Amino acid sequence: MATYAGVDLGATNIRAVVGDETGRVVASRRTGTPQGPNGITVTEAVLDALRGAADEADVDPTRIAAVGIGSIGPLDLAEGAIDNPANLPDTIDRIPLTGPVGELVDSDEIYLHNDTTAGVIGERFYSDRNPDDMIYLTISSGIGAGVCVDGNVIGGWDGNAGEVGHMTVDPNGFMTCGCGVDGHWEAYCSGNNIFRYAQRLHDEDPVDTSMPMESADFSSADVFAHAEEGDEFAEHVLDQMSRWNVIAVANMTDSYAPLVIYVGGAVTLNNPDRVLDPLRERLDDVVFGNVPDVQLTTLGDDVVVKGALASAMTGGTGDRSRVR
Ligand SMILES: [Zn+2]
């Protein structure tokens, strides 16, 4: 029986799974992502997680036929490494991955993707229809997407396609993005920024609200919670958030013509109706071509690691007909 492995390398956690040729996870291992002293330390933690999962599955690592890796970026695909990861300390400049992982499992079939690309591969592989045209969108602390068009998972130069959170949605640039540019989508609608957007809107127009606008603990989750309790200003903030979400998802729809868009990430998983209903209701008004089916991710928090496993099984594509 063929054995495959998948790795989710995040800023906080590393997960490794070993699966069989049906895509069923038979063993998994999770560890904290080392915050230093250097990139090699992170590489070693990835190898340890893979060894641990293989051990639990009772297979020697060299029996693993292929490994998929879904990682934080930015990627350097030519070197099979992560280059100056934005969400880890500065001392971590370079994390070699495909070389050391290939040595561990004695295979040259190591597929490295950014995490949202792994996400679209996973949604594609595990969905009922195995669609050729689809998007995986994550609305989490940041916003990003993985895109599959005509059965091709889009990587882009050095594998960094799909950074849709940095599309400009607001030409007036009311909010400044973490990347320093005004008007980017995630400056309004990501988990790191919804509450900041609320604070800016409130500064402009200080209406009555039950939200703790000045509190150091004020968070994006508070905005959703207060909207549920009927706070009018919280409702207004979420309506504005949805306005930007509709613009951005419509732009992606007209660019890529997906049949279905799966949406995940903590903001969506914690508030599925608030995030998805406005898209389902309003996309039809602004999209030029066919309106895609908008669905909550079927894989929850496992989307990246299962996508990585699916990549290993399908030559980096998520196409079920490619399973050997
Ligand atoms: Zn940006």
Side-chain angles (χ1 to χ4, degrees):
M1 192 163 76
T3 301
Y4 301 90
V7 174
D8 172 3
L9 171 54
T12 314
N13 286 301
I14 294 167
R15 293 179 66 196
V17 298
V18 168
D20 64 20
E21 78 278 345
T22 68
R24 189 174 63 92
V25 172
V26 296
S28 71
R29 195 52 74 92
R30 178 194 290 263
T31 180
T33 306
Q35 303 295 305
N38 54 40
I40 302 298
T41 326
V42 181
T43 304
E44 292 293 346
V46 167
L47 297 178
D48 279 347
L50 270 170
R51 279 188 209 102
D55 205 36
E56 191 186 318
D58 205 19
V59 294
D60 189 272
T62 57
R63 298 287 308 281
I64 293 170
V67 182
I69 305 168
S71 175
I72 51 171
L75 309 187
D76 179 345
L77 277 191
E79 298 291 329
I82 310 306
D83 201 17
N84 280 312
N87 298 318
L88 287 173
D90 284 347
T91 54
I92 297 177
D93 52 353
R94 191 168 189 79
I95 305 170
L97 287 171
T98 58
V101 169
E103 271 176 39
L104 174 70
V105 301
D106 192 23
S107 167
D108 51 15
E109 279 196 72
I110 314 297
Y111 302 96
L112 176 61
H113 312 278
N114 73 33
D115 42 18
T116 52
T117 302
V120 77
I121 291 169
E123 295 287 357
R124 186 181 187 209
F125 180 85
Y126 288 99
S127 77
D128 296 339
R129 292 179 289 182
N130 199 221
D132 281 348
D133 299 283
M134 58 177 293
I135 290 173
Y136 169 68
L137 170 66
T138 176
I139 305 179
S140 187
S141 50
I143 295 178
V147 178
C148 184
V149 177
D150 298 337
N152 300 303
V153 174
I154 295 180
W157 184 72
D158 260 356
N160 295 308
E163 290 285 0
V164 294
H166 302 280
M167 292 198 297
T168 300
V169 290
D170 175 14
N172 294 318
F174 182 71
M175 294 295 291
T176 302
C177 187
C179 75
V181 176
D182 295 339
H184 282 180
W185 181 17
E186 71 175 45
Y188 302 73
C189 301
S190 72
N192 283 351
N193 290 309
I194 293 166
F195 77 97
R196 291 199 178 99
Y197 184 34
Q199 287 172 322
R200 273 291 321 265
L201 287 169
H202 197 256
D203 287 346
E204 296 280 312
D205 184 11
V207 294
D208 280 347
T209 173
S210 59
M211 289 197 287
M213 302 305 301
E214 309 295 332
S215 164
D217 298 333
F218 181 44
S219 70
S220 297
D222 290 332
V223 181
F224 287 96
H226 284 258
E228 287 305 313
E229 289 162 14
D231 185 87
E232 275 185 32
F233 178 65
E235 285 281 0
H236 172 67
V237 172
L238 294 185
D239 200 51
Q240 294 300 302
M241 174 199 80
S242 295
R243 179 178 162 226
W244 304 121
N245 282 346
V246 168
I247 288 173
V249 173
N251 288 348
M252 289 163 60
T253 298
D254 283 328
S255 300
Y256 299 118
L259 181 70
V260 56
I261 301 178
Y262 289 97
V263 192
V267 172
T268 314
L269 290 167
N270 293 331
N271 313 281
D273 298 341
R274 287 274 179 188
V275 173
L276 300 183
D277 285 352
L279 293 170
R280 290 169 175 148
E281 287 158 14
R282 299 184 214 164
L283 274 181
D284 194 28
D285 297 335
V286 279
V287 166
F288 176 74
N290 288 318
V291 176
D293 194 11
V294 175
Q295 295 285 341
L296 185 66
T297 171
T298 56
L299 302 175
D301 287 337
D302 294 336
V303 62
V304 174
V305 77
K306 290 189 99 171
L309 177 62
S311 169
M313 299 170 61
T314 60
T317 67
D319 179 351
R320 284 204 292 262
S321 70
R322 301 258 316 247
V323 179
R324 288 154 298 176

